[in-house]
Amino acid sequence: MKAFDFSYLLRKTIKTFWRFPIPVILILLSFFSTVILIYKENEASIWQHLLLTSVLGIPLFVAFNLYLERVETRRWFNIIINAIGFLFLILFFINLPSKQIFEKHYIRAFILFLTFLASMFYLPFIGFHQQMPFWYYNKQFIKRILISFFFSTIIYLGLLFAILAIDVLFGVNINYKYYLYISAFSYMLLLPWLILGGLQLKFTYHANKQFYPKEVRTFALYVLLPLNLIYGIILFVYSIKIIISGIWPSGWTVGLIMGYSIIHLLIIVLTFPVLFDKENKILVKYVFINFIFIVLFLVMYFLAIFKRIQEYGLTEHRVIVILFGIWMLFLSIYLFIKKIQDLRVIPFSFIILAFLSVSGPWNMFRICKKQQIKRWEYLLVKNDLLQQGKINAFEKNVDPKTQTDLSSIALYLYETHGSNTLKPYFKVNIDSLFNNSKSNYINYYDKMSELFSSVGLTFNPYYFANKYSSNYEFYTNDVNSSLKVDSSLFICFLNVYSNNEVIAYKQNFQLNDSLNLELSLQKKTGCLLIKLNNKLETILNLHAFVNELNKYTPLSKHSNSINLKSEHLRKEIFGSTYRYEFILNRMEYDIENKTNIPISFSGYLLIKDKP
């Protein structure tokens, strides 16, 4: 066994660069963009755009390189192919908004990344009629990806613990950003470079049954097939239940059918070189019967997803679920009819469907945006909330469900498509409202609340029907500033909780050898019973306390969470023996039949002498 050879690593690195020059440059660009973004810490800049674009370009140009290597074309053709790739990346880069990248841009980038990743498996075999080279080459490709990921993870963990050891043992107090730098080095630089460095040059190397790994067949038959069978039985029994009961399919069935169909596809792909051998006759029959069941289960799949669409409208995530069902339906019918003769249809059909879904005037983002705006305007018109094209809900009685629907649509439009989609409906300056400071989760929830308040609405994107109850919470961030324990005889740390199944909850404190304090939360009456040595001392009426808290002006409000001043969450009551001062940092309750039901609270209880 040879010792460590640095010259070999250098030669291999240089060879990889000259084989994949454009992907390597994009790898370096993505790595440095990541490092700069970590250093700048959440500052929106051109580096975000460069990172997305360069990461997208890596699999695209690797696919082009592999295709050009196999067909051995002339230089002018190579230049044209690479120019098309650069033109696409430039258009993608220009299409990104200058100030803030929204969810739709990340979804588009992710789908395109998967598309170009699939093209790495397909493009080298355009016009290649033999199936075995396609299978064996891609088997080695996937194996190389997994091995490279394993090596990168080992290096990442090794460097991570090395820095952690220096931090702990020497008290260096290393900045957390260095851990992120290690992650960027391991997965943005080292991982793709290791993958490219190990890609084989010969597309027909070891493309023969005698090189088929038996452990792959074992994994497919003894791990995947039993799982697939279990999923199939569950779905079959559930489909019978639906037919008998007439109920609508649950959303759970969507994920289960996706798992069932993916496992079935994996069984076919993993066993393809030996699938039609004599010893696998039963497996072949199982595979073809499964195609029929997949088509039947997909009917239930589409019913479940269309129910969600009917209730909440189209979103990008639901469109992706629909497209997956269409893709799986096509594959099942095609592979069944063609007797699984050509596996290339799997990546090819995925490339076409995925690329078309995010490109052109028919792209999913335009369709979803148009459909959600239509729902938004329908609700506004139905509830008579528009005056000269602008929302005005003052002196209008808008029910909570409608306000929730409006809130969830507005939240979707802002997160996915940006604040410009809301401009036509509000009089306030939306640009100054949303672009005035950094946008983070809490920040834009505040701004959405402010926007809705300006037209007389309440921003609450989460609705709970009576059967589920609706959770509300009061809290404060500065409880410690009001905590004075000098004159207290005892201090207790409160964490009282009662779920839907529990009527009463008891928390006990042994104050000293002779005194035992018991707090009992009664959900039915909305009272907290305070007992000393099993004798009732006093009662705190939590119903009245919640009503009192609702009268205060909140410092801020995020959905159903209301931030109050610390003094508002203080309550003092007198018992037979002592004075009890509650200093809470959180109070949570439900609303059932227009009555508040206390769920939980936490904070401190100070027990003092009576004056």
Side-chain angles (χ1 to χ4, degrees):
M1 184 177 179
K2 292 184 179 180
F4 180 80
D5 189 351
F6 180 78
S7 61
Y8 168 78
L9 290 178
L10 184 61
R11 290 195 306 272
K12 192 73 174 175
T13 301
I14 295 172
K15 186 177 179 180
T16 302
F17 174 78
W18 287 115
R19 186 184 176 193
F20 300 102
I22 298 175
V24 168
I25 291 171
L26 291 172
I27 289 170
L28 292 172
L29 180 59
S30 65
F31 170 67
F32 286 118
S33 299
T34 305
V35 170
I36 291 171
L37 285 171
I38 293 171
Y39 178 76
K40 288 193 172 185
E41 199 169 8
N42 296 328
E43 285 186 21
S45 66
I46 193 174
W47 296 104
Q48 289 179 313
H49 300 65
L50 288 174
L51 175 61
L52 269 183
T53 307
S54 56
V55 167
L56 199 59
I58 294 168
L60 175 63
F61 280 97
V62 170
F64 285 169
N65 268 67
L66 294 174
Y67 169 72
L68 295 173
E69 278 182 352
R70 191 187 72 79
V71 297
E72 298 179 354
T73 56
R74 295 183 179 181
R75 180 172 293 181
W76 64 267
F77 186 77
N78 294 3
I79 293 172
I80 291 175
I81 292 294
N82 287 316
I84 292 172
F86 278 117
L87 179 62
F88 178 85
L89 291 184
I90 291 170
L91 291 174
F92 178 83
F93 182 86
I94 294 173
N95 188 55
L96 293 174
S98 58
K99 291 184 179 180
Q100 183 180 357
I101 299 176
F102 294 100
E103 187 177 339
K104 72 173 182 179
H105 302 106
Y106 290 112
I107 295 173
R108 177 181 275 121
F110 178 71
I111 292 177
L112 288 174
F113 180 82
L114 293 180
T115 302
F116 299 148
L117 199 64
S119 67
M120 292 165 58
F121 299 100
Y122 174 75
L123 281 184
F125 294 92
I126 291 179
F128 210 96
H129 300 293
Q130 299 178 33
Q131 289 297 301
M132 289 303 176
F134 171 78
W135 191 92
Y136 281 94
Y137 179 82
N138 286 312
K139 186 265 293 183
Q140 287 298 114
F141 199 161
I142 294 171
K143 181 180 177 180
R144 183 65 196 179
I145 292 173
L146 295 176
I147 291 173
S148 300
F149 181 79
F150 176 75
F151 285 175
S152 300
T153 301
I154 294 297
I155 291 173
Y156 167 71
L157 292 175
L159 293 175
L160 185 73
F161 284 115
I163 290 184
L164 186 62
I166 293 172
D167 192 1
V168 173
L169 297 177
F170 298 98
V172 180
N173 194 21
I174 296 174
N175 192 298
Y176 75 94
K177 290 183 180 180
Y178 287 97
Y179 297 99
L180 298 178
Y181 293 145
I182 292 173
S183 179
F185 168 77
S186 302
Y187 296 110
M188 300 298 294
L189 180 63
L190 190 61
L191 173 60
W193 207 307
L194 287 174
I195 293 172
L196 296 183
L199 288 182
Q200 63 188 49
L201 286 166
K202 296 180 180 179
F203 292 88
T204 57
Y205 183 70
H206 282 183
N208 194 287
K209 278 187 183 181
Q210 63 180 341
F211 298 106
Y212 177 76
K214 293 181 181 179
E215 58 272 15
V216 173
R217 180 179 178 272
T218 301
F219 175 72
L221 290 182
Y222 297 102
V223 178
L224 295 182
L225 194 144
L227 287 175
N228 185 255
L229 188 61
I230 291 170
Y231 284 11
I233 292 172
I234 294 171
L235 288 168
F236 182 75
V237 174
Y238 183 70
S239 62
I240 293 174
K241 176 187 174 183
I242 290 174
I243 294 171
I244 295 173
S245 63
I247 62 173
W248 205 263
S250 167
W252 259 85
T253 57
V254 171
L256 197 62
I257 294 170
M258 290 176 75
Y260 175 77
S261 53
I262 289 172
I263 291 174
H264 179 250
L265 199 61
L266 281 174
I267 292 172
I268 295 171
V269 171
L270 293 178
T271 61
F272 179 75
V274 296
L275 180 61
F276 294 99
D277 289 355
K278 292 181 180 180
E279 59 186 24
N280 292 322
K281 285 184 178 179
I282 297 177
L283 177 62
V284 173
K285 290 180 180 179
Y286 176 83
V287 166
F288 279 94
I289 291 172
N290 246 15
F291 280 135
I292 298 172
F293 278 105
I294 286 177
V295 173
L296 295 176
F297 291 152
L298 283 173
V299 174
M300 187 163 55
Y301 176 95
F302 287 118
L303 287 175
I305 187 61
F306 282 124
K307 179 187 176 184
R308 298 287 294 176
I309 292 172
Q310 187 178 18
E311 292 176 346
Y312 305 109
L314 275 174
T315 63
E316 285 73 14
H317 301 90
R318 293 180 189 121
V319 171
I320 290 171
V321 172
I322 292 172
L323 291 176
F324 176 85
I326 293 172
W327 181 54
M328 198 54 63
L329 181 63
F330 166 77
L331 287 178
S332 299
I333 296 173
Y334 181 88
L335 293 175
F336 182 84
I337 294 174
K338 294 293 183 179
K339 308 296 182 184
I340 319 178
Q341 294 179 1
D342 192 348
L343 286 183
R344 292 176 301 170
V345 70
I346 298 174
F348 176 72
S349 59
F350 179 84
I351 292 167
I352 297 299
L353 190 63
F355 186 78
L356 291 178
S357 69
V358 296
S359 309
W362 53 78
N363 70 79
M364 67 171 72
F365 310 105
R366 179 173 294 184
I367 294 171
C368 293
K369 178 182 175 182
K370 184 177 179 180
Q371 205 263 354
Q372 290 291 348
I373 289 177
K374 187 176 179 180
R375 288 185 66 229
W376 167 264
E377 292 180 345
Y378 169 77
L379 288 171
L380 294 176
V381 173
K382 179 183 176 182
N383 292 274
D384 193 26
L385 300 178
L386 288 178
Q387 290 184 4
Q388 298 179 347
K390 303 294 182 181
I391 301 174
N392 185 353
F394 292 107
E395 300 180 0
K396 298 286 178 66
N397 186 17
V398 185
D399 64 273
K401 179 66 170 64
T402 300
Q403 299 210 51
T404 297
D405 289 340
L406 289 171
S407 299
S408 61
I409 296 172
L411 184 62
Y412 161 79
L413 291 173
Y414 171 74
E415 286 182 324
T416 309
H417 302 281
S419 57
N420 286 341
T421 54
L422 300 173
K423 277 185 179 181
Y425 306 97
F426 295 89
K427 293 180 180 179
V428 299
N429 190 329
I430 285 183
D431 287 333
S432 62
L433 179 64
F434 284 97
N435 302 325
N436 192 30
S437 59
K438 294 179 182 179
S439 294
N440 53 52
Y441 183 82
I442 295 179
N443 182 269
Y444 73 69
Y445 261 58
D446 276 340
K447 296 188 181 300
M448 291 296 287
S449 296
E450 185 179 341
L451 181 65
F452 270 54
S453 297
S454 70
V455 294
L457 292 172
T458 300
F459 178 72
N460 177 21
Y462 307 107
Y463 176 77
F464 301 86
N466 287 335
K467 61 180 178 179
Y468 297 117
S469 299
S470 178
N471 285 27
Y472 288 81
E473 178 189 44
F474 294 105
Y475 70 96
T476 183
N477 294 321
D478 58 348
V479 64
N480 291 330
S481 63
S482 63
L483 184 61
K484 297 179 182 180
V485 298
D486 296 344
S487 61
S488 302
L489 298 175
F490 306 101
I491 179 171
C492 303
F493 298 92
L494 302 175
N495 188 18
V496 180
Y497 178 82
S498 177
N499 59 37
N500 290 335
E501 288 74 34
V502 179
I503 301 301
Y505 174 88
K506 296 179 181 180
Q507 186 174 11
N508 289 283
F509 302 92
Q510 191 66 41
L511 302 179
N512 56 32
D513 292 339
S514 60
L515 279 180
N516 179 269
L517 176 69
E518 179 186 293
L519 301 180
S520 179
L521 175 59
Q522 307 288 323
K523 287 187 64 177
K524 284 187 174 180
T525 60
C527 293
L528 181 71
L529 307 184
I530 303 173
K531 297 181 180 180
L532 270 179
N533 295 336
N534 293 323
K535 292 183 179 180
L536 184 63
E537 263 278 290
T538 186
I539 298 174
L540 175 60
N541 189 331
L542 294 174
H543 277 321
F545 189 37
V546 168
N547 291 333
E548 183 182 331
L549 293 176
N550 274 310
K551 296 177 182 178
Y552 294 120
T553 302
L555 298 176
S556 61
K557 184 177 180 181
H558 316 304
S559 185
N560 289 353
S561 294
I562 301 169
N563 185 13
L564 297 175
K565 294 180 180 179
S566 60
E567 56 264 29
H568 294 157
L569 283 167
R570 297 180 64 164
K571 190 70 174 177
E572 185 178 72
I573 58 174
F574 291 88
S576 303
T577 311
Y578 297 107
R579 176 163 50 107
Y580 299 90
E581 185 177 356
F582 290 85
I583 303 177
L584 305 183
N585 55 31
R586 184 184 56 82
M587 161 71 81
E588 185 180 1
Y589 66 98
D590 280 349
I591 293 181
E592 296 180 3
N593 299 321
K594 299 183 180 181
T595 303
N596 61 68
I597 307 295
I599 297 177
S600 66
F601 59 86
S602 59
Y604 307 93
L605 171 60
L606 305 183
I607 303 175
K608 303 178 181 181
D609 282 325
K610 293 171 69 174

